[in-house]
Amino acid sequence: MRRIWAVVLPVCVACSDAGLQPLDDTQQKVVDDRLDITGDVCTADPTEAVFPVKILFIVDCSGSMQFTDPSNANTTTDAQGNAINAQAECMASCQGTGAVPNCAQLCAGAANPGRQTAVQKVVDRFKNNPAVSFAMVRFNGRVTINGSATSGSEGFTNNPAVLNTAIAGLAQADITTDYQGALTSAYQLLERDMVESNPVDRIRTKYVVIFVSDGAPDPVCKEGCGNDVQDLGIPGVVLDSWCDVPRDRWCDNFNVSGQLCKNMQQWYPSMAEPCKAYNTETQIVQKVTEIIDLGKQYGVGEIRMHTAFLFVAGLPQVILDLFSADPVKSERVLRAMAKAGGGLFRNFTSGQSIDFLDINYSSVARPFGMTNFIVTNPSARPWVNKLVVDSDGDGVDDLSEFEAKLEMNEQSADSDNDGYNDKLELDRYKAGFDPGKANIPAKPCPPSERVDLDGDGLNSCEEKIVGTDPKVPDTDRDRIPDGVEFFAGTDPTRDDSKLDVDFDGKLSGEEINTHSSPTVADPEVHAELKYLYDVHEQAERPDRRRCYDFSVKQVRLVTTLGKNRAGSLGYNEIMIYFGEGPADDPRDFGNFKAACVRAQYVTPNFKFPADGKVHVPAAKFMPLHELMKARADAASDPTKDPCVGAPLP
């Protein structure tokens, strides 16, 4: 609906609810429409910027560990659920060979085996650093994450209870060595974490993967149904290998039942079909490559896989045969994995202390610098050869809203209150949207999605339609917030800041900064009405923050309609965006701070501040999402300043 208003000789008590009051004719004077803004702003403290480090341990806890890294802990249970002591299990295995005289010496385990102690040391070093989190994949024939079944288990965490449970489970030593199952579970854990991470954090995250084993993968299945059979030592009795038998026949094949049968159904979780290649060296290296490629796919800061080989030289051959241990093959596979993972290979032999502390876990907090500085008055839209009034700042000027004849309200950015901005609906009028009818589209934006999570000026529903990321204020990383681009008419999903789409000789990014139109040829506006910036860095500070003084001149004001509160005629809410980010990483999404300045202008007689000068100190800048939330909360609260959300004096 078109709102008609008139002003007769007004004066305003600025920024109050007193309204406009008529003056005597002798007090009338013509005031200009200009506002000059000065101030200063600083980047974030680099020590406070979060560059996450996520450490994933993939630890072999197969039966051979009873000899290469012995433990005397109660580490697993038998088929009846009874606790099995690791040292006792080792002794039983050793004595069962009938050929080893020094079983007690070989099985002299510690309360905490070396693999467990090494992981604990890393956790202890970083447990008080909130930027560091951990996850642990334990594998033998079974695979668990953080000491729990893989499905629904917690991923990277700082939770002491979860970590204690996970570390305690590393003392286990039983069954075989399923590399492929462990790497598949690690892949799934990493991908889930990357998908769920905020993209701004993801690009700054360093993933450190440490794979620890004492032997080659087992079983190793070649393609086809000709894998080796198992000779049980009973005349005439041989069993098909794991490789060639469907999972639902494993229990029958190995003549087991009860709880052991149920447990066996959980072994080798990634062995989906019989007679398929499994756990081959080629597949193992390919799995590592896939994990590293995840980092490229999701744009993480860094991901590397390091490997460690645990082996005790001098073990009796009968013990090596018991677990099909081949040190040469094992070392070759682990070296190949480290090479594919871009990491280091470590060889721990002869019972030496296992230590992972020399791996580089650091993710350096890089100092931020200014990436962009934008001032914009959403109420004064540039158009051809002048500025036009957009009272509600919805991207559609007042006259266009009236002429559209679509029941749009020039004082509401969402005329039909369906959760979609008027410009978004008007732009898509022929595609099932209508800015003046709440039943079009038929499915309005639900209240839960009418939130601006990243502070870019678009709510979650709108970002879905536009194609931008609701968690990232600058989806295309062109250093211009998505909402600023949307309202200016450029594409926030791709970097088109260096294009001149309106062929007026000015690049789109430059036009947004100077407040001319990037989509309509407006050389007169750019020449005569453009904003004039002067931004320079202050002297270096000891805290490594970088601070800037700024001056922006010729910000033009327009006479807007009131904002449904007394005294609001002529409000202009000017936004100041300060982009910051690591200067040495163009991939980084960066952060934004912002400040809001409210001026008032009623042509031709009233302007506040009267001298047209405003100073904005660094303390007035807020993280973008915090400022936008405060503004949204204040929109319907007459006791709060709608510009910054603070209580009115």
Side-chain angles (χ1 to χ4, degrees):
M1 157 189 336
R2 179 65 171 164
R3 305 300 175 90
I4 307 297
W5 51 267
V7 178
V8 180
L9 306 179
V11 160
C12 173
V13 178
C15 306
S16 74
D17 294 329
L20 299 175
Q21 303 295 328
L23 286 182
D24 186 274
D25 288 350
T26 59
Q27 295 179 282
Q28 293 184 44
K29 65 177 181 179
V30 175
V31 297
D32 65 51
D33 61 355
R34 299 186 182 189
L35 188 71
D36 293 343
I37 304 173
T38 60
D40 60 285
V41 62
C42 296
T43 61
D45 185 336
T47 62
E48 296 178 359
V50 177
F51 289 84
V53 177
K54 299 186 177 182
I55 303 172
L56 171 61
F57 291 100
I58 308 175
V59 182
D60 178 359
C61 292
S62 60
S64 56
M65 282 287 186
Q66 296 170 4
F67 298 95
T68 54
D69 188 24
S71 169
N72 64 7
N74 290 327
T75 61
T76 187
T77 57
D78 60 19
Q80 287 72 44
N82 301 312
I84 299 176
N85 181 271
Q87 189 176 22
E89 189 76 359
C90 179
M91 288 290 292
S93 299
C94 181
Q95 292 170 348
T97 65
V100 181
N102 60 335
C103 288
Q105 181 180 351
L106 290 178
C107 297
N112 302 104
R115 60 189 180 275
Q116 188 182 48
T117 301
V119 171
Q120 184 70 65
K121 286 180 180 179
V122 177
V123 172
D124 287 344
R125 171 173 286 190
F126 298 109
K127 65 183 179 181
N128 294 322
N129 186 335
V132 181
S133 55
F134 309 87
M136 298 176 202
V137 174
R138 182 191 69 201
F139 73 97
N140 39 49
R142 296 165 294 204
V143 180
T144 61
I145 295 178
N146 293 342
S148 303
T150 55
S151 59
S153 59
E154 186 169 357
F156 288 95
T157 180
N158 281 312
N159 186 328
V162 174
L163 295 178
N164 289 340
T165 298
I167 293 173
L170 298 182
Q172 184 187 63
D174 196 12
I175 324 180
T176 52
T177 317
D178 185 9
Y179 274 39
Q180 188 165 333
L183 291 170
T184 299
S185 293
Y187 179 98
Q188 294 167 348
L189 183 154
L190 288 163
E191 183 172 38
R192 184 180 69 184
D193 186 76
M194 292 176 190
V195 168
E196 294 176 353
S197 294
N198 184 313
V200 175
D201 294 332
R202 189 190 304 151
I203 198 69
R204 299 174 184 172
T205 298
K206 178 175 182 175
Y207 289 91
V208 181
V209 184
I210 302 172
F211 188 101
V212 185
S213 180
D214 72 335
D218 181 33
V220 177
C221 306
K222 59 181 180 291
E223 189 74 21
C225 293
N227 292 280
D228 294 338
V229 296
Q230 296 195 15
D231 187 347
L232 301 183
I234 303 174
V237 179
V238 293
L239 299 177
D240 289 331
S241 71
W242 299 100
C243 305
D244 298 346
V245 180
R247 186 178 295 270
D248 60 3
R249 286 175 42 203
W250 282 358
C251 294
D252 293 337
N253 182 70
F254 291 99
N255 193 29
V256 296
S257 60
Q259 186 61 45
L260 181 58
C261 176
K262 293 180 180 179
N263 291 342
M264 188 180 291
Q265 296 298 312
Q266 307 303 316
W267 296 0
Y268 316 128
S270 298
M271 190 185 287
E273 299 179 58
C275 305
K276 296 291 185 181
Y278 189 79
N279 261 336
T280 67
E281 184 173 339
T282 299
Q283 287 176 298
I284 296 304
V285 173
Q286 178 59 34
K287 284 293 179 184
V288 175
T289 301
E290 290 172 1
I291 286 174
I292 300 305
D293 286 345
L294 271 179
K296 300 174 184 177
Q297 178 182 347
Y298 291 101
V300 304
E302 181 182 320
I303 181 169
R304 293 183 186 275
M305 180 180 289
H306 309 277
T307 62
F309 177 42
L310 314 185
F311 182 72
V312 178
L315 282 175
Q317 187 61 47
V318 67
I319 296 295
L320 298 179
D321 292 341
L322 180 66
F323 294 101
S324 303
D326 183 346
V328 175
K329 179 180 179 181
S330 301
E331 182 172 336
R332 184 183 71 238
V333 172
L334 288 164
R335 283 187 182 276
M337 291 170 62
K339 182 177 180 180
L344 303 173
F345 168 77
R346 296 290 309 277
N347 192 332
F348 298 99
T349 60
S350 302
Q352 72 187 89
S353 176
I354 303 169
D355 195 333
F356 305 132
L357 291 177
D358 60 346
I359 291 174
N360 180 11
Y361 299 99
S362 65
S363 183
V364 179
R366 294 159 287 171
F368 282 8
M370 181 178 69
T371 57
N372 206 349
F373 189 83
I374 305 172
V375 175
T376 184
N377 182 358
S379 297
R381 298 284 173 196
W383 183 257
V384 186
N385 59 358
K386 62 180 179 179
L387 299 177
V388 293
V389 180
D390 181 4
S391 293
D392 51 18
D394 62 359
V396 185
D397 67 89
D398 292 2
L399 183 59
S400 294
E401 291 201 31
F402 174 71
E403 292 178 341
K405 300 185 186 316
L406 293 175
E407 301 183 38
M408 298 170 70
N409 182 351
E410 302 95 306
Q411 294 172 286
S412 173
D414 179 13
S415 297
D416 56 7
N417 196 34
D418 62 356
Y420 296 106
N421 165 274
D422 285 351
K423 172 178 166 55
L424 183 146
E425 295 207 72
L426 186 61
D427 289 348
R428 294 161 178 77
Y429 179 66
K430 294 183 179 180
F433 286 85
D434 189 317
K437 295 182 178 179
N439 61 338
I440 305 176
K443 184 179 179 181
C445 175
S448 61
E449 296 188 26
R450 299 188 188 191
V451 291
D452 183 2
L453 298 175
D454 52 13
D456 62 2
L458 300 171
N459 68 32
S460 295
C461 276
E462 293 164 342
E463 301 225 38
K464 286 182 180 179
I465 302 297
V466 175
T468 49
D469 192 319
K471 297 180 181 178
V472 180
D474 177 19
T475 299
D476 58 7
R477 285 177 273 203
D478 63 358
R479 310 314 185 202
I480 305 172
D482 293 343
V484 173
E485 285 205 72
F486 171 76
F487 292 117
T490 55
D491 187 348
T493 65
R494 67 184 183 95
D495 184 357
D496 52 359
S497 61
K498 303 296 190 296
L499 302 179
D500 179 15
V501 297
D502 56 6
F503 303 104
D504 62 358
K506 303 298 179 184
L507 302 182
S508 295
E510 179 187 357
E511 295 213 60
I512 288 175
N513 278 72
T514 57
H515 205 67
S516 57
S517 173
T519 60
V520 176
D522 57 352
E524 293 181 37
V525 172
H526 193 275
E528 299 178 12
L529 302 176
K530 68 179 180 182
Y531 296 176
L532 302 176
Y533 290 80
D534 180 14
V535 182
H536 61 274
E537 188 171 355
Q538 298 174 2
E540 185 175 351
R541 295 167 55 108
D543 62 2
R544 297 174 67 200
R545 297 176 71 193
R546 300 171 71 174
C547 297
Y548 303 82
D549 294 314
F550 63 85
S551 170
V552 186
K553 297 182 178 181
Q554 291 197 166
V555 176
R556 302 303 178 110
L557 306 175
V558 294
T559 302
T560 62
L561 300 177
K563 291 184 176 293
N564 300 319
R565 59 177 70 199
S568 63
L569 183 67
Y571 271 7
N572 288 239
E573 293 171 2
I574 295 94
M575 291 294 297
I576 308 171
Y577 298 94
F578 175 73
E580 60 180 347
D584 60 348
D585 190 354
R587 301 178 310 149
D588 195 282
F589 286 94
N591 300 337
F592 284 93
K593 296 177 181 177
C596 179
V597 171
R598 190 176 75 222
Q600 198 167 12
Y601 178 71
V602 182
T603 183
N605 308 113
F606 178 80
K607 181 173 76 171
F608 181 86
D611 61 359
K613 299 184 184 300
V614 174
H615 184 77
V616 184
K620 294 295 184 182
F621 282 84
M622 301 169 59
L624 186 55
H625 67 283
E626 292 182 12
L627 176 61
M628 289 304 192
K629 184 179 186 305
R631 284 168 55 85
D633 292 343
S636 58
D637 187 344
T639 68
K640 292 184 178 179
D641 183 338
C643 190
V644 297
L648 289 167

